[in-house]
Amino acid sequence: LRLQLVTAVAAVAGAACSLVAEGSGAAAVSGILPFTAGGFIYLGTVSVIPEILRNSGPCQALLQLLALLAGVAMMLLIAHY
């Protein structure tokens, strides 16, 4: 219950920081975007990939890994444009 409270407080703090940084311009966005993308990539590589490899065959694992890499590529395209 305490950890869930910490998570909720962190989510509210993150939302408040993004609202404050909204008026700061491109400098704030260029710092927040890599941090957020890195969080998604970290979660994908640390928690999802071991689960994929444990519960599926080689072909299915390859397809899911390619889908994860496609998601990373989409984040790169969004960041570029």
Side-chain angles (χ1 to χ4, degrees):
L1 187 60
R2 288 185 190 129
L3 290 175
Q4 208 163 18
L5 177 65
V6 170
T7 304
V9 169
V12 171
C17 287
S18 68
L19 290 174
V20 169
E22 180 181 10
S24 299
V29 173
S30 67
I32 293 171
L33 187 62
F35 180 77
T36 305
F40 281 115
I41 293 170
Y42 173 78
L43 286 175
T45 56
V46 170
S47 63
V48 175
I49 289 180
E51 188 73 24
I52 289 171
L53 295 176
R54 186 175 332 118
N55 293 333
S56 61
C59 184
Q60 183 68 21
L62 178 65
L63 288 174
Q64 291 176 351
L65 183 61
L66 289 175
L68 178 72
L69 293 175
V72 170
M74 284 182 211
M75 284 192 284
L76 287 172
L77 284 173
I78 289 170
H80 183 63
Y81 295 109

